[in-house]
Amino acid sequence: MPKPRHLQQTYVRATRERVWEALTDPEEVRRYHFGRPDAPLVAGQPYALRQDGEIVVEGTVTSLEPPALMVVTFSARYDPEASTEDPTTVTWELESVGPELTLVRIVHEDFGGLSRTWALAELAWRRIADGLKTWLEQGTELGLPVRTQPGAVTPVDLSAKEHRERGIELYNETWRYLGMEDRGEEDGELMLRCAFASAYHWSQAEGRTLVNDVRSDWQLARVLTVLGRTTEALRYASRCLDGTRRAELQDFDLAYAHEAMARALACAGRDDEARAELAVARAVTIADEQDLEILNGDLDAGPWFGLTGEVSTSGG
């Protein structure tokens, strides 16, 4: 699943060596950044950017590979909320694309989700990249504000389209965990979190219908069943089946709603009821042969929690 990050790229009409000099010399840094380093940057050593004597950013230089790569940790100290968050990572990459032309790539990542630091940095790197380009190409300062004021950053608000994208990503990530042969306890916890997060994002998604709710409930029922959380598994299997009936869904969705209930009942040790639901799932007419093959393959697969009697289409 993609994680929140900022990527800023700009072309600067200067050699890579000249850009590197501007990135690492304290006097030049202050020309385009929001502060001035206390000293030249050294790999493995802490650094701090100051504005009017106050530390606005600090961290550690984790890697220096002149004139190509610089990696630092980053903590915004000027904002009370951001200053309490874990350090993030900023990577500067310089690529020569011509005799006097350098591609500057800035990657800011390792945020704790869509955090305060993420929101503060959203516009800052665009301004810094523009400032660097102006300084190196024109020899003048862009005139950046000292820093973003705390009150200027509004809470992150995802659009309905973004909710849909994250719902899809997390749904697929949940399937990845379900497919693990050696899934550990921590993997199981992450799988469950992904499933609930996917269901939340789908509930806010662009174009969401009752079908999306039903499929979210189905995935939650499967995950909870696999984890042996019987009461919750039965709850979401019931929600899935009820939603399927209310939406008058047939074919693939109807079969899977009964499959979810059968599996949850088997997890609860209610074998007779599980067999009845399983029989209903198998009796549903599936028009598409490929869909039928997928359903039968899923019914053949565990876990069925020692359910006795006919389970597998192959007799297993």
Side-chain angles (χ1 to χ4, degrees), residues 1 160 163-174 190-206 208-221 223-224 235-236 239:
M1 178 184 62
H163 276 296
R164 182 183 181 86
E165 291 170 352
R166 282 165 174 75
I168 293 171
E169 290 166 0
L170 287 159
Y171 195 90
N172 292 335
E173 183 72 354
T174 304
L190 290 172
M191 175 176 66
L192 182 60
R193 293 184 185 191
C194 283
F196 273 112
S198 174
Y200 166 73
H201 284 297
W202 270 112
S203 74
Q204 309 295 314
E206 176 182 72
R208 165 226 181 183
T209 67
L210 185 55
V211 174
N212 300 123
D213 292 343
V214 165
R215 291 175 180 174
S216 290
D217 287 337
W218 176 87
Q219 190 177 68
L220 282 165
V223 166
L224 289 161
R235 177 181 175 229
Y236 281 98
R239 281 172 55 96

Side-chain angles (χ1 to χ4, degrees), residues 101 250 288:
L101 188 63
Q250 301 296 322
D288 185 89

Side-chain angles (χ1 to χ4, degrees), residues 12-23 67 94-104 132 136-137:
V12 178
R13 195 157 294 283
T15 65
R16 188 166 64 160
E17 289 74 18
R18 178 69 188 97
V19 177
W20 181 264
E21 184 180 1
L23 290 183
L94 307 184
E95 178 183 348
S96 294
V97 293
E100 294 281 337
L101 188 63
T102 301
L103 172 60
V104 178
L132 174 65
L136 287 172
E137 293 184 352

